[in-house]
Amino acid sequence: MKKALLTILIAAAAVLTAVTADGRAPRREFRGAWLHTVFQGQYKSQGTERNKAYLCNQLDSLKALGVNAVIFQVRPQADAFYRSELEPWSCYLTDGGKAPVPFWDPLEFMVEQTHARGMELHAWLNPYRVTSNKRQASSLPRGHIYHKHPERFVRYADGKLYFDPGLPENREFICKVVEDIVSRYDVDAIHFDDYFYPYPVAGKDFPDSGSYAKYGKGMKRDDWRRRNVDMLIEDVHTVIKSLKPWVRFGISPFGIYRNKKTDPRGSDTNGLQNYDALYADVLLWEREGWIDYLVPQLYWELEHKAASYLVLVDWWNRNAGVARHLYIGQDVARSMSKPDLAPSAERSQLRRKVELTRDAENIQGNCWWPGYDLTRNVGGVADSLVASVQATPALVPAYPWISSECPAPVTGIRPGAGNSFSWKRPEPKGATSDVVRYAVYRFESRGEIDLDAEGALVAVTPEPAFTADRPGVYVVTALDRVNNESEPSAPVYIR
């Protein structure tokens, strides 16, 4: 997004937060944005400094649009957008697996920059994919695990290479990759997308006969494949929680679990099925507590003939989101290109889609695909978000199954020069309870202090200081690593 547009959006956000905030917007709501790196040529062509400036501009724009969590793709295909001794640098960042020059670590940079803006960083990995087209296998860099252990990989009918999910050593390797990231980077979550077993090619079975013969143990092949993915998800969960219990694990599956014609418990849809085609039993993962959130990709229009958004948002609300969080993946371009249903005169389905999630008992937010479409203002989406849908800030929901203990209230709050005020920062302990962000609230008078009041939340910041842009009574709360919130501080008066 050009700087001029960003400036306009930031200014508009400040004004609208002050006077025209949509009262329907909740104070707590996951507002994610996916930033993918696969098939993105800009990162290789721009160079280090331009990439840094580009990503900062993306984050500034997303922040101005109300986004509070960035899902950044750091392992698009068994390669790395970070310094790794396990896998080579991504071909979408450099050539030949070489480190970028001048050197930079995109994941480290994104963790620092999102946190500096009071946002979360979810590190997005694709577990099994090794190549994204037929040509890439011949150009995998020296040192790639494929060259060391070609027997652990298969080529499917789509021409792409994949880790064989049936081999325990592949599951162990993927867990090592996750362990490496979680142990070395201050990420808020590990995120997997919808690519487990590959999307099927008609009439072509996945070539895993060798691993099935060795490890199938009499199971039906479909059940065995699902069990392979189940074991990966459970093992990744165990690795993450053994290292840093506060780091979350999220999955964004394809939007249809099963169709009703296959399973009476399924949705009234007619499309590809997660459970049967990709061997992803995502509802099991929620029931077992192996994941912390699901983001089904409901990319269709409201009344799509085969996969209606109206049908699917209701189905997911009724079948998930109780034991763990449920957010909805929203396709920006499709939402903006289709008009709302009659009698509405709105030219897009954006507001209706978001309102449906806010009205649903078990849905706690949305995630936008792709985040680049937000910053490009595709179909006027940025205008709509800043004008009403996400006009006010929101806190990421808390995760009480990880921890429900709230931080102690902020102390030492006092006014400074001009309209600024500050407070004491507690010492971190390397635990879930560490205070990592602060929420700043504004009220007209001391008697009005109600954190849930419309428009009261004005900022989320990692710094123990804030400069007000208008008079009022301000209070601050502390947020820990899983977004538990303290009681409000003593008020400070800005005149």
Side-chain angles (χ1 to χ4, degrees):
M1 179 180 290
K2 293 182 179 179
K3 290 185 177 179
L5 177 57
L6 174 62
T7 301
I8 292 171
L9 287 172
I10 292 173
V15 172
L16 287 164
T17 296
V19 296
T20 63
D22 181 359
R24 292 179 55 82
R27 180 168 66 97
R28 281 192 179 269
E29 182 176 58
F30 187 87
R31 299 175 180 175
W34 282 290
L35 292 182
H36 59 295
T37 54
V38 67
F39 304 130
Q40 297 297 297
Q42 67 270 31
Y43 294 106
K44 185 185 291 186
S45 66
Q46 289 177 155
T48 298
E49 294 309 314
R50 286 182 62 195
N51 271 326
K52 289 181 177 180
Y54 171 77
L55 286 170
C56 283
N57 192 36
Q58 293 291 314
L59 295 179
D60 286 341
S61 299
L62 293 172
K63 174 76 172 179
L65 297 176
V67 169
N68 54 25
V70 174
I71 303 177
F72 182 59
Q73 192 174 34
V74 300
R75 186 183 185 255
Q77 48 183 48
D79 53 8
F81 264 71
Y82 60 96
R83 189 202 301 262
S84 172
E85 295 183 359
L86 297 172
E87 295 181 309
W89 288 94
S90 176
C91 67
Y92 296 104
L93 182 65
T94 68
D95 287 317
K98 298 178 182 178
V101 178
F103 180 82
W104 73 304
D105 183 323
L107 176 54
E108 179 181 59
F109 181 80
M110 287 293 280
V111 168
E112 292 173 351
Q113 295 299 319
T114 51
H115 288 177
R117 291 163 175 78
M119 306 162 80
E120 292 191 344
L121 192 285
H122 296 214
W124 169 12
L125 290 71
N126 185 284
Y128 296 129
R129 184 174 61 200
V130 180
T131 61
S132 295
N133 59 51
K134 298 178 180 180
R135 301 182 304 275
Q136 288 179 332
S138 62
S139 60
L140 290 174
R142 294 175 60 185
H144 194 286
I145 188 175
Y146 172 73
H147 295 310
K148 299 176 184 177
H149 297 285
E151 74 281 0
R152 290 164 52 176
F153 299 83
V154 295
R155 188 188 297 271
Y156 185 40
D158 58 7
K160 304 172 187 176
L161 283 175
Y162 298 90
F163 285 90
D164 184 344
L167 298 177
E169 52 267 40
N170 284 341
R171 186 166 62 251
E172 292 168 5
F173 179 79
I174 295 167
C175 285
K176 286 182 180 178
V177 171
V178 172
E179 179 181 14
D180 181 49
I181 293 172
V182 173
S183 63
R184 294 194 295 119
Y185 296 91
D186 189 20
V187 298
D188 297 287
I190 294 293
H191 183 93
F192 284 0
D193 57 14
D194 52 322
Y195 293 100
F196 292 100
Y197 278 80
Y199 281 74
V201 176
K204 302 294 183 180
D205 197 18
F206 188 75
D208 57 0
S209 296
S211 55
Y212 177 61
K214 187 173 182 179
Y215 296 106
K217 298 181 180 179
M219 295 179 69
K220 293 181 179 179
R221 189 175 292 200
D222 285 3
D223 292 336
W224 172 74
R225 287 173 176 169
R226 273 186 290 273
R227 181 57 184 150
N228 291 332
V229 184
D230 292 345
M231 287 190 291
L232 174 67
I233 299 303
E234 182 179 12
D235 288 352
V236 168
H237 163 82
T238 299
V239 166
I240 293 171
K241 302 306 179 181
S242 68
L243 291 168
K244 295 177 180 177
W246 59 85
V247 173
R248 282 146 271 155
F249 185 22
I251 306 283
S252 56
F254 182 73
I256 298 173
Y257 177 69
R258 298 192 93 184
N259 299 309
K260 184 175 289 187
K261 66 181 182 181
T262 302
D263 183 339
R265 300 169 299 175
S267 53
D268 190 11
T269 50
N270 186 27
L272 181 138
Q273 304 173 113
N274 243 311
Y275 184 90
D276 303 88
L278 307 181
Y279 305 102
D281 191 355
V282 297
L283 297 186
L284 172 69
W285 306 342
E286 180 189 15
R287 289 196 305 270
E288 294 294 334
W290 297 336
I291 58 172
D292 296 296
Y293 66 80
L294 284 172
V295 196
Q297 299 170 17
L298 305 193
Y299 292 167
W300 302 278
E301 56 265 34
L302 289 168
E303 289 190 324
H304 190 281
K305 291 182 179 180
S308 160
Y309 179 94
L310 289 169
V311 168
L312 284 166
V313 78
D314 175 67
W315 187 91
W316 282 98
N317 177 58
R318 288 185 290 105
N319 289 275
V322 176
R324 295 293 184 264
H325 281 178
L326 174 64
Y327 318 132
I328 299 300
Q330 307 279 6
D331 183 282
V332 172
R334 292 185 191 180
S335 297
M336 300 308 298
S337 64
K338 301 290 184 179
D340 196 6
L341 304 180
S344 170
E346 292 207 30
R347 292 182 293 179
S348 84
Q349 296 184 354
L350 178 80
R351 184 194 295 270
R352 174 73 66 90
K353 286 184 171 183
V354 172
E355 286 179 351
L356 286 168
T357 68
R358 289 175 177 171
D359 290 341
E361 181 181 4
N362 296 319
I363 298 174
Q364 295 91 12
N366 297 279
C367 194
W368 303 102
W369 168 259
Y372 304 112
D373 278 3
L374 295 186
T375 60
R376 287 192 292 256
N377 198 23
V378 169
V381 64
D383 301 330
S384 295
L385 291 179
V386 77
S388 61
V389 178
Q390 293 182 175
T392 53
L395 305 179
V396 174
Y399 297 78
W401 55 89
I402 298 176
S403 172
S404 59
E405 182 179 352
C406 295
V410 167
T411 61
I413 191 166
R414 59 183 181 180
N419 292 336
S420 68
F421 54 96
S422 62
W423 54 91
K424 292 182 180 180
R425 185 198 297 273
E427 288 295 325
K429 300 176 182 178
T432 305
S433 59
D434 284 349
V435 172
V436 293
R437 282 176 285 276
Y438 306 93
V440 181
Y441 297 84
R442 178 196 172 274
F443 305 93
E444 291 294 338
S445 68
R446 183 169 183 168
E448 295 180 0
I449 293 177
D450 174 7
L451 302 189
D452 288 315
E454 178 184 337
L457 178 65
V458 295
V460 181
T461 175
E463 299 301 325
F466 184 74
T467 300
D469 61 356
R470 54 200 170 113
V473 178
Y474 288 82
V475 300
V476 178
T477 62
L479 299 165
D480 68 13
R481 291 184 180 274
V482 292
N483 300 304
N484 291 312
E485 186 176 20
S486 73
E487 291 294 319
S489 68
V492 62
Y493 301 88
I494 300 297
R495 295 178 170 82

